[in-house]
């Protein structure tokens, strides 16, 4: 499956996907990486991996529609079949989301539907939750919403700061995103009635729900 990865920054999840795709048996390949921010660190990771990459700077567009139009054109031009948003911090229009319905994944650093949006770790600590985590989901028009493919639970420690918690969760993100992509690319995780249903799983397939994956 041909994958386009959307980023806005550092790109550590992009790197996890690049590493997974490097395995000849992995059922997906990254054909393009697009950043809405010039200078995003992830662009250098794409460059180092020899993956075509480009910046589509949202600031150069008049409105969200025209930015999303350019994004859509670039993705289609690259032959993308599935989008993986990986730290892509830009709200997409309903029209774009509908065009890519069930063909766009996102990762979010909380156990959705809790703590959508920004400042997730600060708000999780403030709320006093004992367990946080991360979620890979299909994208819907509402931000950080949509059928859940994979989640990993991560403990919150009493002395955590937003950055120590973020770092612990990031380790789990790097595990579940490739796992979720694999299941989707193989057609083993499909959206049925706004939930993800698994089928055809093999002995070795880890179905990542509510546990910290190994
Ligand atoms: C990740 O923690 C990702 O879950 C989060 O941004 C970070 C990007 O890091 N995404 C969101 O908050 C989306 N709502 P990365 O650039 O190193 O992958």
């Amino acid at each position: 499956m041909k994958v386009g990865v959307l980023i806005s920054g550092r790109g550590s999840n992009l790197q996890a996907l690049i590493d997974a795709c490097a395995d000849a048996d992995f059922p997906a390949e990254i054909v393009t990486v697009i950043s809405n921010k010039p200078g995003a660190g992830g662009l250098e990771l794409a460059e180092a991996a020899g993956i075509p990459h480009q910046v589509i700077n949202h600031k150069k567009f008049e409105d969200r529609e025209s930015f999303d139009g350019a994004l859509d054109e670039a993705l289609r031009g690259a032959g993308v079949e599935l989008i993986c948003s990986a730290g892509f911090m830009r709200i997409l229009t309903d029209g774009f989301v509908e065009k890519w319905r069930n063909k766009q994944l996102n990762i979010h650093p909380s156990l959705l539907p809790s703590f959508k949006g920004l400042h997730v770790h600060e708000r999780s600590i403030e709320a006093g939750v004992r367990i946080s985590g991360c979620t890979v989901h299909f994208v819907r028009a509402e931000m950080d919403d949509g059928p859940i493919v994979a989640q990993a639970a991560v403990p919150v420690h009493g002395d955590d700061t937003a950055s120590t918690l973020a770092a612990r969760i990031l380790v789990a993100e790097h595990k579940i995103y490739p796992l979720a992509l694999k299941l989707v690319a193989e057609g083993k995780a499909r959206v049925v009635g706004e939930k993800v249903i698994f089928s055809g799983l093999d002995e070795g397939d880890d179905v990542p729900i509510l546990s910290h994956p190994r």
Side-chain angles (χ1 to χ4, degrees):
M1 184 172 272
K2 291 186 170 154
V3 171
V5 182
L6 302 183
I7 60 166
S8 299
R10 177 179 58 183
S12 70
N13 277 291
L14 164 66
Q15 186 64 53
L17 296 178
I18 290 173
D19 292 346
C21 290
D23 181 341
D25 292 334
F26 198 78
E29 65 166 318
I30 302 171
V31 294
T32 188
V33 171
I34 301 176
S35 170
N36 68 310
K37 290 207 172 158
L43 291 166
E44 283 171 29
L45 302 176
E47 172 75 25
I51 298 169
H53 51 86
Q54 62 172 299
V55 175
I56 302 182
N57 185 347
H58 64 274
K59 289 188 177 159
K60 296 205 166 151
F61 292 82
E62 255 181 24
D63 50 27
R64 287 190 186 275
E65 281 74 19
S66 50
F67 170 73
D68 285 7
L71 197 56
D72 183 61
E73 205 177 296
L75 290 163
R76 288 183 199 281
V80 168
E81 299 165 290
L82 180 80
I83 300 171
C84 287
S85 291
F88 182 66
M89 306 307 269
R90 191 85 197 136
I91 293 171
L92 295 161
T93 55
D94 292 4
F96 182 96
V97 171
E98 271 316 302
K99 276 190 205 160
W100 290 91
R101 189 178 180 84
N102 298 342
K103 292 175 183 164
Q104 184 177 9
L105 296 173
N106 179 46
I107 188 157
H108 183 74
S110 75
L111 289 175
L112 292 174
S114 292
F115 304 110
K116 296 175 178 179
L118 298 174
H119 310 299
V120 176
H121 307 300
E122 287 87 341
R123 289 190 288 128
S124 301
I125 290 169
E126 180 64 28
V129 298
R130 298 287 185 269
I131 307 277
S132 187
C134 47
T135 304
V136 178
H137 64 96
F138 283 99
V139 172
R140 291 293 181 264
E142 193 190 323
M143 190 175 46
D144 300 324
D145 188 59
I148 291 169
V149 183
Q151 292 187 305
V154 174
V156 182
H157 298 163
D159 59 354
D160 265 333
T161 62
S163 68
T164 58
L165 180 57
R168 192 175 309 118
I169 290 175
L170 201 62
V171 174
E173 292 187 47
H174 297 162
K175 290 178 182 162
I176 66 164
Y177 213 170
L179 202 53
L181 172 57
K182 178 173 186 288
L183 292 172
V184 170
E186 288 177 338
K188 292 176 176 174
R190 288 176 299 115
V191 179
V192 179
E194 287 304 89
K195 273 190 192 165
V196 171
I197 302 296
F198 296 98
S199 60
L201 295 174
D202 296 321
E203 190 86 342
D205 283 330
D206 235 332
V207 179
I209 36 168
L210 288 179
S211 65
H212 195 303
R214 288 182 290 278

